[in-house]
Amino acid sequence: MSERRPTPPLVALRAFDAAARLGSFREAAEELGVTPGAVSRHIKALEMRLGLRLFDRFNRSVVLTADGRRLAQGVADAFERLESALEAVRPGRSRQLRISALPSLAGKWLSPRLHRFSEDNPDLDLIVFAEDRIADLSNGEADVALRYGEGPYPGQTARRLMSERLIPVCAPSLAAARKVNTPADLLDVVLIHETWHDMPYSDRMGWKAWFESAGVSDPRVNHLRGPVFSHSHLALEAPCRDAAWP
């Protein structure tokens, strides 16, 4: 068994982490409540201990070297894990579960169910981020993410929550008038669209894909018009108002 090397002093690693994030010994010193000279000495001692140059030093700034960038990522991750461990055992502090979800999924599916989860987990504080972009779980942006699509999701564990069916919905007045009896009849009414261009599998979604699956072969399918919304929950709200569209 090889002998374990002593870890560099925590104060030196903290000074390096601050300087790496801020790109300045002076700003790192302000954050840590010490002098810029102290930060410089800690980092110099760390460089000598490792036998590496971690920063390229200029008159008014410092820039991480390639070795410095690699070390900075590892040190930042280590401090984050240390802080999480301390937070978990700190008396009187509740635990948190950070959930990143698509806005439509967060509003229409997740939010109505959160009260039951909170009742079963009263010591857990829930934080929900409604966002379209893919959250980076590896750097602690969130603990869990709810997304649409089959993946792949490199470095993550993915589980399918549900499948879906795409069906048309309409305003109550349109349903009451019975103006729609077949899929092709929808080509004669105002269609409400959602933008799918940034989503995976966009060719499987939207009105054109639905008409094709319903067996509608009509040239108008290739020239569909109507209001376009950026999120599903907005598109779902639009036909709920009888006076929203003609």
Side-chain angles (χ1 to χ4, degrees):
M1 183 176 180
S2 60
E3 183 179 354
R4 184 175 180 180
R5 295 183 179 181
T7 303
L10 191 62
V11 65
L13 294 173
R14 180 62 79 182
F16 170 74
D17 173 66
R21 284 186 288 103
L22 301 171
S24 166
F25 288 0
R26 179 183 58 79
E27 293 183 22
E30 292 177 357
E31 178 179 291
L32 299 174
V34 298
T35 65
V39 170
S40 180
R41 287 192 296 273
H42 285 312
I43 293 176
K44 186 64 177 177
L46 182 61
E47 289 177 322
M48 293 179 64
R49 188 185 188 105
L50 298 175
L52 299 170
R53 191 177 80 258
L54 301 175
F55 288 96
D56 287 325
R57 293 160 171 81
F58 302 96
N59 288 336
R60 297 183 179 276
S61 65
V62 291
V63 178
L64 286 167
T65 64
D67 289 326
R69 287 193 297 271
R70 286 193 292 270
L71 180 61
Q73 182 61 57
V75 169
D77 291 344
F79 276 126
E80 184 172 342
R81 290 195 298 272
L82 178 60
E83 183 60 32
S84 296
L86 293 171
E87 189 69 21
V89 299
R90 196 167 287 157
R93 299 300 294 271
S94 60
R95 296 180 298 143
Q96 292 183 344
L97 177 63
R98 297 166 297 171
I99 304 171
S100 172
L102 295 170
S104 54
L105 188 60
K108 294 296 184 180
W109 183 84
L110 181 61
S111 293
R113 291 167 170 80
L114 286 180
H115 71 281
R116 295 200 301 268
F117 184 86
S118 295
E119 290 173 356
D120 294 336
N121 301 270
D123 62 333
L124 193 63
D125 289 338
L126 298 177
I127 301 176
V128 178
F129 303 99
E131 52 191 358
D132 289 312
R133 67 183 185 86
I134 300 298
D136 189 349
L137 303 186
S138 63
N139 71 2
E141 287 186 358
D143 300 305
V144 62
L146 305 180
R147 289 296 181 272
Y148 182 94
E150 301 170 0
Y153 302 101
Q156 312 295 334
T157 299
R159 294 185 180 180
R160 187 177 69 177
L161 291 177
M162 68 191 84
S163 300
E164 70 167 1
R165 289 192 306 145
L166 297 180
I167 60 173
V169 297
C170 66
S173 59
L174 184 61
R178 298 185 178 180
K179 296 179 180 179
V180 178
N181 296 302
T182 68
D185 291 339
L186 288 173
L187 292 170
D188 297 321
V189 301
V190 176
L191 297 178
I192 297 171
H193 305 261
E194 180 184 356
T195 54
W196 295 102
H197 58 274
D198 291 330
M199 296 288 290
Y201 320 109
S202 59
D203 57 332
R204 307 180 195 175
M205 302 179 286
W207 282 111
K208 183 177 180 181
W210 185 85
F211 279 120
E212 291 175 353
S213 67
V216 177
S217 56
D218 189 301
R220 290 178 293 172
V221 170
N222 297 315
H223 305 283
L224 300 174
R225 301 182 61 187
V228 181
F229 293 89
S230 60
H231 292 298
S232 296
H233 62 288
L234 298 176
L236 286 171
E237 285 294 324
C240 292
R241 307 291 185 263
D242 285 344
W245 312 108

